[in-house]
Amino acid sequence: SSGIKRRVRGRDRSRDRDYSRDRSPLRTEHKDIYVDDCYTKHVIGSKGSQIAKIRRLSGADIQIAKDDTVQNGERKISICGRRSEIESALKLINEAIADKIKIDKKNNPTSGVGNASLEFDYVNELFDRICAVIPFSDIHDTDSTVKEEELIIPNTDTATVIGPKGIRIRDIRNYTKCAIKIQDDKDVNGDERSVSLRGTPRQIHRAMFMIQNITKVMR
């Protein structure tokens, strides 16, 4: 009887040690991340080659959510493993996305119509994705004078425009080179908010197109 108690106590103490040491390198953890779906295919790779490589190198179990679970243009990626394996998987996933952006910048220096290369120096997947649904008509105003304009959007569109952790609005800023400021929640009255844009006419035109139509692609 006493022997059984000692074994139980020993097991309980082991559990307590594992529970209290959340940062133990041997502890299995689970982490969900959400990736803009326009980058998913680059994380997966041709015939699953990229995700297989990430699994092999990191040692983590990685599951990518199915198409019918995508919401607001975001796809969940679940990562399970030891802390070091999860960190390695996150690093490799980020590198896969970054590598694709670098390749686009190198191989596709122009985007859009006419003299777009003067301002838009890489192919933007979000822009191309919107254009696949909503036809884009560029303007050929070569005026380099910086101007300011204001756009009004529904409050319900704000989260989609900004994206998780600001990924989409940052992408729009980087691509169009347009300064964009979305009105803060505390300053909003009613069901709409203002978006201030500052840039050349072509920069503003392209940024407005993306902001106004992004919800038609992401929903």
Side-chain angles (χ1 to χ4, degrees):
S1 174
S2 59
I4 294 175
K5 287 182 179 179
R6 281 196 295 272
R7 286 198 295 272
V8 172
R9 286 173 183 169
R11 185 170 66 248
D12 287 342
R13 284 196 297 270
S14 176
R15 284 178 179 172
D16 291 342
R17 285 197 299 272
D18 287 343
Y19 181 78
S20 62
R21 294 193 303 172
D22 287 341
R23 297 185 179 182
S24 168
L26 301 181
R27 183 180 176 84
T28 298
E29 300 180 9
H30 180 94
K31 185 176 183 64
D32 290 336
I33 62 172
Y34 292 85
V35 175
D36 197 309
D37 199 35
C38 66
Y39 294 117
T40 303
K41 64 180 180 180
H42 306 302
V43 175
I44 297 174
S46 177
K47 297 182 179 179
S49 60
Q50 184 66 36
I51 193 64
K53 178 181 178 182
I54 293 173
R55 288 180 179 128
R56 184 177 69 254
L57 292 178
S58 68
D61 177 33
I62 305 170
Q63 300 297 325
I64 298 179
K66 296 181 179 179
D67 291 346
D68 58 5
T69 65
V70 175
Q71 295 183 356
N72 295 326
E74 300 163 13
R75 189 184 296 260
K76 183 171 76 172
I77 299 179
S78 300
I79 309 171
C80 185
R82 298 175 181 176
R83 173 163 295 197
S84 60
E85 293 171 339
I86 291 176
E87 290 176 351
S88 177
L90 289 172
K91 181 174 180 291
L92 292 167
I93 289 171
N94 286 330
E95 286 177 354
I97 295 173
D99 286 346
K100 175 59 180 173
I101 293 174
K102 289 177 182 178
I103 292 172
D104 285 344
K105 288 182 179 181
K106 180 179 179 180
N107 296 338
N108 302 279
T110 62
S111 178
V113 187
N115 296 324
S117 60
L118 296 175
E119 294 181 285
F120 312 108
D121 56 6
Y122 69 96
V123 171
N124 181 268
E125 289 198 36
L126 179 57
F127 176 76
D128 290 344
R129 189 174 178 186
I130 296 172
C131 288
V133 178
I134 310 296
F136 174 71
S137 178
D138 203 358
I139 62 173
H140 300 281
D141 189 342
T142 58
D143 184 5
S144 60
T145 303
V146 174
K147 300 179 180 180
E148 294 184 3
E149 291 195 34
E150 186 178 83
L151 177 67
I152 302 298
I153 64 171
N155 287 334
T156 52
D157 290 354
T158 306
T160 303
V161 172
I162 294 174
K165 296 184 179 180
I167 186 173
R168 292 198 194 106
I169 193 63
R170 187 164 56 247
D171 194 16
I172 295 172
R173 288 186 182 118
N174 291 339
Y175 173 57
T176 65
K177 297 184 175 66
C178 185
I180 305 170
K181 180 174 176 56
I182 299 177
Q183 189 177 20
D184 292 335
D185 290 344
K186 61 182 177 62
D187 300 323
V188 172
N189 292 314
D191 299 328
E192 297 178 324
R193 72 182 64 207
S194 66
V195 180
S196 302
L197 302 98
R198 186 173 185 273
T200 66
R202 294 189 71 231
Q203 290 170 344
I204 291 176
H205 176 69
R206 192 162 291 219
M208 277 189 169
F209 170 79
M210 296 180 76
I211 292 171
Q212 288 174 321
N213 294 294
I214 190 172
T215 56
K216 298 173 184 176
V217 173
M218 294 303 179
R219 290 180 180 173

